[in-house]
Amino acid sequence: YPNPVKNTAILNITGNTSNLAITITNLLGKTNWQQTGVNTQRLAIPVNTLANGVYLVTVNNGKERIVLKMVKE
């Protein structure tokens, strides 16, 4: 949250939060931001350098993968 986002997106994660990989890609599949080894339930993601548009935020713990839609304005 918030969605749409302007500067910083806050990602609240439930369940297994051990050794997560979080990736932001545009709709063409280009990786714009990535962080691995995340071990927290709340993560602030800086998005102020991203162009306005729609992005996909992927959270992967090695067993499950969740994809969320994020709008940057």
Side-chain angles (χ1 to χ4, degrees), residues 53-69:
V54 178
Y55 294 88
L56 300 176
V57 179
T58 304
V59 180
N60 189 335
N61 69 5
K63 296 177 185 174
E64 296 180 88
R65 185 176 80 150
I66 299 171
V67 180
L68 307 165
K69 182 173 132 181

Side-chain angles (χ1 to χ4, degrees), residues 12-26:
N12 288 318
I13 304 165
T14 59
N16 181 2
T17 59
S18 176
N19 202 27
L20 298 174
I22 301 171
T23 307
I24 297 177
T25 57
N26 64 19

Side-chain angles (χ1 to χ4, degrees), residues 1-46:
Y1 68 89
N3 201 6
V5 62
K6 292 186 185 218
N7 295 313
T8 303
I10 304 297
L11 186 61
N12 288 318
I13 304 165
T14 59
N16 181 2
T17 59
S18 176
N19 202 27
L20 298 174
I22 301 171
T23 307
I24 297 177
T25 57
N26 64 19
L27 294 181
L28 299 175
K30 178 186 174 203
T31 299
N32 296 94
W33 185 88
Q34 184 171 8
Q35 187 168 345
T36 58
V38 176
N39 294 305
T40 184
Q41 291 183 329
R42 184 178 170 139
L43 180 67
I45 302 172

